[in-house]
Amino acid sequence: MVDYHAANNQSLYSAGGQQIYMEQENDWDRDLLLDPAWEKQQRKTFTAWCNSHLRKAGTQIENIEEDFRDGLKLMLLLEVISGERLPKPERGKMRVHKINNVNKALDFIASKGVKLVSIGAEEIVDGNAKMTLGMIWTIILRFAIQDISVEETSAKEGLLLWCQRKTAPYKNVNVQNFHISWKDGLAFNALIHRHRPELIDYDKLRKDDPVTNLNNAFEVAERYLDIPKMLDAEDIVGTLRPDEKAIMTYVSCFYHAFSGAQKAETAANRICKVLAVNQENEHLMEDYEKLASDLLEWIRRTIPWLENRAPEKTMTEMQQKLEDFRDYRRVHKPPKVQEKCQLEINFNTLQTKLRLSNRPAFMPSEGRMVSDINGAWHKLEGAEKGYEEWLLNEIRRLERLDHLAEKFRQKAAIHESWTDGKEAMLTQKDYETATLSEIKALLKKHEAFESDLAAHQDRVEQIAAIAQELNELDYYDSPSVNARCQKICEQWDALGSLTQSRRESLERTEKQLESIDELYLEYAKRAAPFNNWMEGAMEDLQDMFIVHNIEEIQGLITAHDQFKSTLPEANKERESIQAIQAEVHKIAQYNGIKLAGNNPYTTITPQSIDKKWEKVQQLVPQRDQALQEELARQQSNDHLRRQFANQANMIGPWIQNKMEEIGRISIEMNGTLEDQLTHLRQYEQSIIEYKPNIDQLEGDHQLIQEALIFDNKYTAYTMEHLRVGWEQLLTTIARTINEIENQILTRDAKGISQEQLHEYRTSFNHFDKDHSGVLHAEEFKACLISLGYDVENNKQGDAEFARIMGIVDPNNSGAVTFQAFIDFMSRETTDTDTADQVIASFKILAGDKNYITAEELRRELPPDQAEYCIARMAPYTGPDAVPGALDYMSFSTALYGESDL
């Protein structure tokens, strides 16, 4: 027979489950003792690292081995750093609840390919400091260090190689490990200075003052880089060998802070020459100014909309915001991406043409530089990303709030219905005039009530817990929820006091015990828990549920099937209880006993039991239908995930492959520049023709969002990553084509042969050791030496090298582009147009006269160029002037500005 008394203290759908202990992959041995100094460093570092992630969820830890014991914050930490949802935690306070929560966290870690050695849930729950630190180190390795990759090395070796490369130029820094190499603090300061030189005056640091060095690096990182202080300088200096795991954890934060830094784009553009180019340049300048103004104005209007984080109270209003954001992504932003790319291409082309013809460089109006537009664009994308994350989080929160609020109202209504009239019953004074037999009947009835009262304790606790969660999630109607919860709790306390008071009154007036009808008592004792079980079953069968994947709904279906398997035995219990009542009537009829009325020990009648049993029987198929409908929905969602993943898993590698191919094409020298340009344009066309695949994926992504699907285990690609990759691919191929076009302009303007260009590219690629597409100062110096320039390391050579660098790198960026390289080489080896050459050309058109007429210009030049000259040439005033004579000498000189004077 089912123990329904025990069943009242357990969840109807508790799936149970065995605790699975996984093995740990790393060198964490249960039997080894941790050095006290190392343990102190690990405690501080690991605590700070955990809090840097937990603060995103609005919480933190104080004691690393205590605050993870119940598993709740451990599961929250894993959700934050992985971006994935873990199974719902158990909210109970018992040890078994804590162990189950920790096991869910350990199972999640193991699902990421990590073997946990000697770490079990019991040890974490018991507050074992060494095992807790070992578990956190495993998490840090997996989520913060494992994916670091530098030159085919990964994890620890990759992080060490990154540190060595970044600190190589700094004196007194020699990073060989993650302990001794960091004691003097210079390595930390070098990493910051390499990426943010304005934050640290490195030359003022002294190797013999490690405490000052460490404190300086830690304070700067915390203030400007959002890296919390994870170690104390005194602990590091005072330890013979700092803890390697603590240092690796701290350094990994620097890696992630700097890994996304973008290299500054060079703005070296050449300028064009001759009259037609000068005319086109003015038109391009006007177009640039208008396009830049329009784009900046659009960004200025859009950013405040994206930065608006005012939440709505209903799901419908938040979903409308999400739909507006989708329209922005799908309709409004793509044309602006093309405008931004076209703006940069126009700017580069304009500057190239101006430089080739020795014209002054174009300077846009204040605030309309390419760097200003890029800065505004980066701010726009930052606001865009944050806005999307906020929208999705708000929708999840509102969904959760609606579910919890409805659940609160249902449970509160059931409880209030049960408590109705209980206070009046407990305060009546019927025992003052009762007989002894009646006293005993009242006492038994009170015992049954107390059993019923205890059975309802769980529901009151559930109501309070739901109200607390609604408060924590900032439910808009929390005041009314709190008021109702407060009233229920106060009434519950009053019922407890009245129950105790009535028992004491009954016991005081009770003189002796007499035997009573045992069948009535047995009926009451068995009917009350069974009745309560049926009420709980009805409540659970009508309980709302929210699931996010097939596994969760299948778990509910399994639990429901388990419940249905208990119904035959429950029916036997019902029939047995009804048989007791039948036996009562049989005995009364046989002995001629006239029953006084209903069972004195309970208000539960056989009719009410049968009615509730019929209700349970009706609710079971309804629950079956609801679960099957939800299973169908989750299967549909899973189909959407697979549909999106199949496309994303093809498009993601395709974009990456195209980016790599463009990179190879940009440094290869196959065929003439025209051949390369034709090949690149064909390549660009093939990329554009791939756009329908992106559009199809956008459609699949919109279906996923409309279905409120927030995870996809079938792919590592997100729509955001693929959008950015697609935009970068379009921009990269357009810029590469523009570079070839500019090289053709340079070749034609300077008279450079194809063989010379091939030779320039061969020399450039040879010294571009890291294949970055630019030559750093030392690489460029080596290239010049190979070409015969005297730039050796002496006073004269240094001066010559400084002069050349001033030409090829006027912005002092420390890098020389291929375009700047061929500009320099062509300037050194070819002649350029000068004012004198242009004057000589006009003199030929004028028939050796010192002036030229409008008629001659219209006869010799294309119409637009002729009118351009006529509108800008001043009248000629020399002694041999004739009516309508124009001064071409002053005009030609003015074209070249002061640079040719």
Side-chain angles (χ1 to χ4, degrees):
M1 180 180 295
V2 174
D3 186 354
Y4 293 96
H5 301 273
N8 289 329
N9 297 320
Q10 299 179 1
S11 172
L12 176 65
Y13 292 98
S14 63
Q18 92 187 71
Q19 301 168 341
I20 303 174
Y21 298 90
M22 312 301 289
E23 294 183 346
Q24 184 186 5
E25 185 180 17
N26 305 291
D27 53 345
W28 204 276
D29 194 311
R30 176 191 294 271
D31 299 322
L32 294 181
L33 295 176
L34 190 63
D35 183 278
W38 290 1
E39 181 176 351
K40 179 181 179 182
Q41 294 173 19
Q42 287 182 13
R43 281 175 181 273
K44 182 174 181 63
T45 304
F46 292 359
T47 300
W49 185 88
C50 291
N51 284 334
S52 70
H53 294 285
L54 287 174
R55 69 183 180 184
K56 300 173 185 175
T59 187
Q60 65 177 12
I61 62 172
E62 299 293 338
N63 188 313
I64 198 165
E65 69 264 30
E66 288 294 327
D67 293 348
F68 286 139
R69 289 179 64 182
D70 61 3
L72 296 177
K73 289 189 176 180
L74 178 59
M75 295 178 69
L76 181 60
L77 173 65
L78 291 172
E79 288 188 339
V80 172
I81 62 179
S82 69
E84 299 180 23
R85 293 289 297 273
L86 271 68
K88 183 178 180 181
E90 299 182 13
R91 296 291 178 177
K93 305 297 184 181
M94 299 175 63
R95 176 179 172 83
V96 66
H97 298 143
K98 298 178 181 180
I99 290 177
N100 287 342
N101 286 338
V102 175
N103 267 329
K104 291 176 182 178
L106 295 179
D107 290 345
F108 179 81
I109 297 172
S111 72
K112 299 301 179 182
V114 178
K115 294 182 179 179
L116 298 168
V117 178
S118 304
I119 296 180
E122 290 86 352
E123 293 166 313
I124 306 302
V125 173
D126 291 339
N128 186 313
K130 180 174 180 295
M131 292 299 106
T132 302
L133 292 175
M135 177 187 64
I136 297 301
W137 171 242
T138 299
I139 294 173
I140 293 171
L141 271 180
R142 172 58 182 85
F143 294 98
I145 299 177
Q146 176 178 307
D147 294 333
I148 295 176
S149 178
V150 179
E151 278 195 2
E152 301 182 354
T153 64
S154 59
K156 177 180 178 181
E157 292 76 17
L159 183 59
L160 183 62
L161 179 57
W162 179 78
C163 294
Q164 291 171 341
R165 284 190 166 186
K166 295 300 181 181
T167 60
Y170 293 85
K171 63 182 179 180
N172 296 327
V173 178
N174 183 17
V175 177
Q176 297 297 326
N177 50 56
F178 286 109
H179 39 80
I180 301 300
S181 297
W182 303 83
K183 281 193 67 173
D184 59 10
L186 291 178
F188 284 107
N189 283 278
L191 279 180
I192 298 175
H193 186 270
R194 181 64 181 272
H195 296 89
R196 296 287 300 278
E198 75 279 7
L199 299 180
I200 289 180
D201 190 350
Y202 186 85
D203 292 334
K204 290 186 178 181
L205 301 178
R206 302 199 322 270
K207 186 175 181 64
D208 59 353
D209 191 4
V211 172
T212 299
N213 297 340
L214 289 166
N215 282 329
N216 181 65
F218 295 169
E219 289 168 5
V220 169
E222 186 173 49
R223 182 176 181 183
Y224 298 102
L225 304 179
D226 200 27
I227 299 175
K229 185 176 181 181
M230 296 186 177
L231 287 171
D232 292 323
E234 292 76 7
D235 291 341
I236 296 178
V237 175
T239 305
L240 183 62
R241 170 179 162 143
D243 178 63
E244 186 178 55
K245 297 177 176 62
I247 297 294
M248 282 183 66
T249 301
Y250 211 167
V251 173
S252 71
C253 293
F254 285 83
Y255 173 87
H256 291 293
F258 293 131
S259 61
Q262 297 182 353
K263 296 180 180 179
E265 293 184 0
T266 58
N269 294 292
R270 297 175 303 158
I271 58 177
C272 61
K273 61 181 180 177
V274 300
L275 298 175
V277 174
N278 208 66
Q279 181 183 14
E280 181 183 357
N281 290 345
E282 290 185 357
H283 179 67
L284 288 175
M285 292 176 191
E286 293 172 359
D287 287 347
Y288 176 89
E289 290 285 340
K290 183 178 186 307
L291 190 58
S293 297
D294 293 345
L295 183 58
L296 287 170
E297 177 61 20
W298 178 81
I299 294 173
R300 184 191 66 77
R301 295 195 313 269
T302 304
I303 287 178
W305 174 66
L306 292 172
E307 290 179 340
N308 181 15
R309 298 295 190 274
E312 303 294 346
K313 292 183 178 180
T314 66
M315 178 75 74
T316 301
E317 292 171 322
M318 287 307 299
Q319 286 176 335
Q320 182 57 50
K321 281 195 171 186
L322 182 60
E323 187 60 32
D324 293 342
F325 181 72
R326 289 178 184 146
D327 286 342
Y328 157 79
R329 273 270 181 81
R330 185 174 56 250
V331 178
H332 302 292
K333 185 184 177 186
K336 299 302 177 183
V337 173
Q338 294 300 322
E339 288 179 15
K340 177 176 177 292
C341 179
Q342 188 61 47
L343 191 70
E344 293 177 358
I345 291 174
N346 290 352
F347 182 84
N348 291 340
T349 301
L350 176 60
Q351 298 293 52
T352 298
K353 292 181 177 180
L354 290 172
R355 180 180 297 147
L356 288 174
S357 57
N358 291 332
R359 269 66 161 187
F362 168 60
M363 288 297 295
S365 302
E366 184 176 356
R368 294 184 177 86
M369 294 289 291
V370 172
S371 59
D372 297 325
I373 294 170
N374 284 335
W377 189 265
H378 291 160
K379 185 177 180 182
L380 173 76
E381 291 186 328
E384 175 183 322
K385 185 176 187 300
Y387 188 69
E388 183 177 32
E389 292 174 351
W390 173 77
L391 282 175
L392 295 178
N393 288 334
E394 276 299 305
I395 289 176
R396 293 179 185 175
R397 184 179 71 83
L398 289 175
E399 181 186 40
R400 176 66 177 160
L401 282 175
D402 289 344
H403 170 69
L404 286 175
E406 182 60 26
K407 193 170 185 178
F408 174 86
R409 287 190 287 269
Q410 286 185 0
K411 288 186 176 293
I414 293 172
H415 177 77
E416 290 165 345
S417 175
W418 179 85
T419 58
D420 185 36
K422 295 296 188 295
E423 288 187 11
M425 182 268 290
L426 290 171
T427 55
Q428 62 184 335
K429 304 292 185 178
D430 53 343
Y431 55 82
E432 293 180 350
T433 58
T435 64
L436 289 176
S437 60
E438 290 172 341
I439 286 292
K440 292 188 178 293
L442 289 175
L443 186 59
K444 295 299 182 182
K445 182 178 179 180
H446 191 71
E447 289 176 353
F449 172 77
E450 286 179 326
S451 176
D452 200 10
L453 184 71
H456 281 77
Q457 177 68 34
D458 285 343
R459 182 176 288 114
V460 175
E461 293 177 354
Q462 291 172 6
I463 290 172
I466 294 173
Q468 176 65 27
E469 190 168 359
L470 286 170
N471 279 285
E472 293 174 353
L473 294 174
D474 195 22
Y475 182 51
Y476 77 94
D477 199 23
S478 289
S480 65
V481 170
N482 292 337
R484 191 172 184 181
C485 180
Q486 181 67 25
K487 182 179 178 181
I488 289 173
C489 292
E490 290 175 354
Q491 184 186 39
W492 185 254
D493 293 338
L495 286 178
S497 299
L498 291 173
T499 299
Q500 180 63 26
S501 176
R502 181 169 176 81
R503 167 171 280 279
E504 292 173 355
S505 298
L506 289 171
E507 289 176 344
R508 280 196 306 269
T509 57
E510 183 184 17
K511 301 299 182 180
Q512 63 182 33
L513 295 174
E514 296 179 356
S515 61
I516 61 174
D517 190 343
E518 292 296 334
L519 290 173
Y520 265 144
L521 182 59
E522 181 182 0
Y523 177 92
K525 288 184 176 179
R526 294 177 65 178
F530 183 77
N531 182 72
N532 190 62
W533 174 84
M534 288 193 297
E535 290 181 347
M538 288 189 293
E539 182 180 344
D540 288 339
L541 287 169
Q542 298 176 86
D543 187 32
M544 298 171 59
F545 54 84
I546 294 178
V547 296
H548 300 91
N549 53 54
I550 292 178
E551 290 76 14
E552 291 179 0
I553 187 61
Q554 287 177 338
L556 290 179
I557 292 174
T558 300
H560 184 61
D561 291 338
Q562 292 175 351
F563 165 73
K564 289 193 294 184
S565 68
T566 66
L567 291 178
E569 191 170 352
N571 189 43
K572 291 180 182 178
E573 175 68 3
R574 181 186 66 83
E575 292 172 351
S576 177
I577 292 173
Q578 299 292 52
I580 294 174
Q581 184 68 17
E583 184 66 18
V584 169
H585 289 285
K586 179 179 178 181
I587 292 174
Q589 185 177 8
Y590 179 79
N591 293 286
I593 299 173
K594 184 178 180 180
L595 298 175
N598 293 330
N599 191 322
Y601 305 118
T602 181
T603 58
I604 302 172
T605 66
Q607 293 77 16
S608 67
I609 290 178
D610 286 340
K611 185 176 180 180
K612 291 179 181 178
W613 177 256
E614 291 174 1
K615 182 64 174 177
V616 170
Q617 296 293 97
Q618 293 172 1
L619 290 174
V620 167
Q622 294 176 10
R623 182 73 167 185
D624 282 330
Q625 181 180 355
L627 291 172
Q628 290 302 319
E629 290 174 353
E630 181 61 27
L631 175 62
R633 190 176 77 87
Q634 290 302 326
Q635 289 172 338
S636 174
N637 288 352
D638 202 59
H639 172 72
L640 291 177
R641 290 188 183 97
R642 292 178 184 273
Q643 181 174 299
F644 176 84
N646 290 339
Q647 284 294 316
N649 290 337
M650 290 189 296
I651 291 175
W654 183 87
I655 291 176
Q656 180 63 32
N657 181 54
K658 294 300 179 184
M659 289 292 289
E660 293 173 357
E661 288 181 4
I662 294 172
R664 288 195 299 269
I665 291 171
S666 67
I667 64 173
E668 291 174 352
M669 301 169 290
N670 297 327
T672 65
L673 289 178
E674 284 76 6
D675 293 338
Q676 296 175 35
L677 184 60
T678 300
H679 178 59
L680 282 171
R681 284 175 174 163
Q682 292 172 350
Y683 201 79
E684 180 185 36
Q685 184 60 33
S686 70
I687 291 175
I688 293 173
E689 291 172 354
Y690 197 75
K691 181 65 164 55
N693 295 292
I694 303 297
D695 295 337
Q696 179 183 350
L697 191 65
E698 286 281 7
D700 294 342
H701 179 64
Q702 181 168 345
L703 293 177
I704 282 179
Q705 287 197 326
E706 290 172 352
L708 295 179
I709 300 173
F710 302 106
D711 60 337
N712 195 336
K713 64 182 179 181
Y714 302 114
T715 180
Y717 294 101
T718 66
M719 196 64 234
E720 176 64 26
H721 293 155
L722 293 176
R723 288 192 196 105
V724 172
W726 175 252
E727 292 172 2
Q728 289 177 345
L729 179 60
L730 292 176
T731 301
T732 300
I733 186 63
R735 287 175 177 167
T736 304
I737 290 174
N738 182 242
E739 289 175 1
I740 298 300
E741 290 173 340
N742 289 341
Q743 289 178 29
I744 292 174
L745 285 174
T746 301
R747 182 198 65 191
D748 295 342
K750 302 296 184 178
I752 302 173
S753 68
Q754 184 67 31
E755 290 73 18
Q756 285 177 305
L757 275 177
H758 186 277
E759 181 181 347
Y760 293 159
R761 172 56 80 177
T762 301
S763 298
F764 189 89
N765 289 346
H766 176 76
F767 290 97
D768 183 13
K769 301 300 183 182
D770 57 358
H771 303 294
S772 62
V774 297
L775 295 181
H776 301 294
E778 292 303 319
E779 293 174 335
F780 183 56
K781 177 180 283 190
C783 182
L784 289 176
I785 293 173
S786 72
L787 294 172
Y789 286 85
D790 184 12
V791 291
E792 296 289 350
N793 292 326
N794 52 55
K795 186 174 182 180
Q796 182 178 356
D798 291 343
E800 175 64 8
F801 182 66
R803 181 190 72 81
I804 295 174
M805 283 298 291
I807 296 173
V808 299
D809 184 23
N811 296 323
N812 295 322
S813 66
V816 180
T817 65
F818 179 66
Q819 187 61 50
F821 177 68
I822 62 174
D823 281 348
F824 171 73
M825 294 304 299
S826 63
R827 180 179 298 181
E828 294 290 310
T829 58
T830 63
D831 293 329
T832 59
D833 292 331
T834 66
D836 289 340
Q837 290 173 328
V838 174
I839 290 173
S841 298
F842 273 115
K843 196 173 185 69
I844 292 173
L845 298 181
D848 285 335
K849 298 191 300 293
N850 292 327
Y851 60 86
I852 193 169
T853 66
E855 180 182 356
E856 290 172 331
L857 285 172
R858 292 190 177 101
R859 183 178 67 246
E860 301 294 339
L861 295 179
D864 58 338
Q865 294 182 353
E867 297 305 324
Y868 179 80
C869 294
I870 294 169
R872 287 163 175 75
M873 284 184 181
Y876 176 70
T877 58
D880 54 340
V882 298
L886 300 174
D887 187 353
Y888 62 78
M889 295 185 183
S890 298
F891 172 72
S892 299
T893 303
L895 285 177
Y896 289 86
E898 297 180 357
S899 62
D900 196 50
L901 299 180

